[in-house]
């Protein structure tokens, strides 16, 4: 099966703020502040999307013999992450739009790529129902070799659930090698967001840009030593969205 080519190392984060401050108005203000400050050359912006869906096995579902055999070996909890590169959203600027879907099994620490394997695996999830669906939709831009992407998270009901930020360093595919540079860029974004957003979290702490440790998350799936690709991005988004929903860390 065809799998998308490797990309630059990425860091995915979310802006932690109290529920009362999570509004589209605040998102627009935060997004615009980051664009104004971190897009000094006024590079052309591109749209980007990602969708995380959690399917869980329905333990009360009646299973016939065929369903039981088909579903054998399927995880009880199955995540999918749909990634879409819209025109001019990648380093190659090939003006193409491609949608890829990656299966992420959190308990088993496994990922699955490729149209046919993913389609066949999901077809076996006959007793699974969708438990969560979160879509990230936003804009991004390139500043030389560095990409910054800011997006809003919406749940299955279309309700705004928060802000997610992704940064990518195109020349380096190894997350450990790029980690220091990505962390430096994240500090600049966090500072910009903090100055724009004056809200305070319910525990009394200022809002913060939360990074679910990429190196640890990818290492758990055996992806750490491989060039950054769709599987790495999918694991990062699943980990970030689930942490975001739980209010952690």
């Amino acid at each position: 099966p065809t799998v998308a080519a490797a990309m630059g190392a990425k860091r995915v984060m979310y802006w932690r703020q109290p529920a009362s401050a999570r509004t589209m108005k605040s998102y627009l203000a935060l997004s615009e502040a980051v664009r104004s400050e971190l897009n000094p050359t006024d590079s052309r912006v591109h749209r980007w999307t990602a969708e995380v869906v959690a399917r869980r096995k329905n333990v009360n579902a009646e299973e016939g013999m065929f369903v039981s055999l088909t579903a054998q070996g399927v995880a009880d909890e199955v995540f999918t992450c749909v990634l879409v590169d819209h025109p001019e959203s990648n380093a190659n600027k090939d003006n193409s739009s491609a949608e890829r879907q990656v299966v992420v099994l959190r308990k088993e620490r496994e990922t699955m790529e490729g149209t046919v394997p993913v389609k066949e695996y999901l077809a076996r999830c006959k007793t699974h129902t969708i438990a969560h669906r979160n879509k990230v939709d936003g804009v991004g831009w390139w500043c030389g070799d560095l990409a910054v992407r800011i997006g809003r998270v919406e749940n299955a009901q279309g309700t705004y659930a928060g802000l997610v930020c992704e940064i990518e360093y195109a020349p380096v595919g190894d997350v450990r090698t790029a980690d220091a540079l990505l962390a430096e860029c994240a500090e600049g974004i966090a500072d910009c967001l903090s100055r724009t957003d004056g809200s305070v979290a319910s525990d009394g702490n200022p809002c913060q840009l939360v990074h679910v440790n990429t190196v640890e998350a990818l290492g758990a799936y055996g992806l750490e030593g491989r060039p950054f690709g769709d599987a790495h991005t999918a694991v990062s988004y699943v980990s970030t969205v689930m942490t975001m929903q739980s209010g952690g860390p």
Side-chain angles (χ1 to χ4, degrees):
T2 301
V3 177
M7 59 193 69
K10 295 181 179 181
R11 174 179 285 214
V12 178
M13 304 154 287
Y14 76 91
W15 183 241
R16 181 172 178 257
Q17 59 184 162
S20 59
R22 289 198 298 269
T23 64
M24 274 300 297
K25 182 178 180 179
S26 71
Y27 165 74
L28 292 173
L30 292 168
S31 177
E32 183 57 34
V34 174
R35 286 177 60 181
S36 298
E37 188 165 319
L38 298 180
N39 189 9
T41 59
D42 198 26
S43 299
R44 183 174 179 178
V45 298
H46 58 260
R47 181 168 166 256
W48 64 284
T49 56
E51 185 177 55
V52 173
V53 178
R55 295 172 173 82
R56 295 201 177 104
K57 184 176 182 179
N58 183 356
V59 295
N60 298 318
E62 295 185 8
E63 297 184 13
M65 182 179 295
F66 176 76
V67 172
S68 296
L69 291 173
T70 303
Q72 196 170 31
V74 174
D76 290 343
E77 185 177 57
V78 178
F79 287 86
T80 55
C81 184
V82 177
L83 304 167
V84 182
D85 289 335
H86 296 278
E88 296 191 17
S89 66
N90 51 66
N92 297 323
K93 309 291 190 302
D94 59 6
N95 209 38
S96 63
S97 177
E99 179 178 301
R100 295 96 61 209
Q101 189 168 206
V102 180
V103 169
V104 178
L105 308 179
R106 295 185 79 204
K107 183 178 179 181
E108 293 77 9
R109 301 300 190 191
E110 297 176 6
T111 61
M112 186 182 305
E113 298 180 80
T115 303
V116 174
V118 168
K119 186 175 181 179
E120 290 179 347
Y121 191 88
L122 294 180
R124 294 165 57 201
C125 299
K126 297 184 180 299
T127 59
H128 288 60
T129 56
I130 294 179
H132 300 286
R133 184 190 298 272
N134 293 272
K135 184 175 182 180
V136 184
D137 193 355
V139 296
W141 58 91
W142 284 91
C143 294
D145 292 326
L146 192 70
V148 179
R149 302 178 181 106
I150 300 290
R152 67 182 184 275
V153 182
E154 293 181 350
N155 58 27
Q157 291 73 43
T159 303
Y160 174 70
L163 178 149
V164 162
C165 176
E166 174 191 305
I167 48 179
E168 175 184 356
Y169 184 52
V172 178
D174 181 79
V175 68
R176 280 192 179 276
T177 304
D179 193 58
L181 187 143
L182 293 175
E184 183 179 347
C185 180
E187 287 182 10
I189 295 173
D191 181 62
C192 177
L193 292 172
S194 296
R195 282 186 275 106
T196 306
D197 188 359
S199 58
V200 177
S202 57
D203 57 8
N205 295 320
C207 298
Q208 59 179 315
L209 192 61
V210 178
H211 169 224
V212 181
N213 194 297
T214 306
V215 175
E216 290 183 5
L218 298 181
Y221 287 82
L223 297 171
E224 184 185 344
R226 291 165 49 186
F228 214 95
D230 286 339
H232 301 68
T233 305
V235 168
S236 298
Y237 272 103
V238 169
S239 301
T240 299
V241 167
M242 294 306 293
T243 304
M244 191 177 187
Q245 285 187 342
S246 67

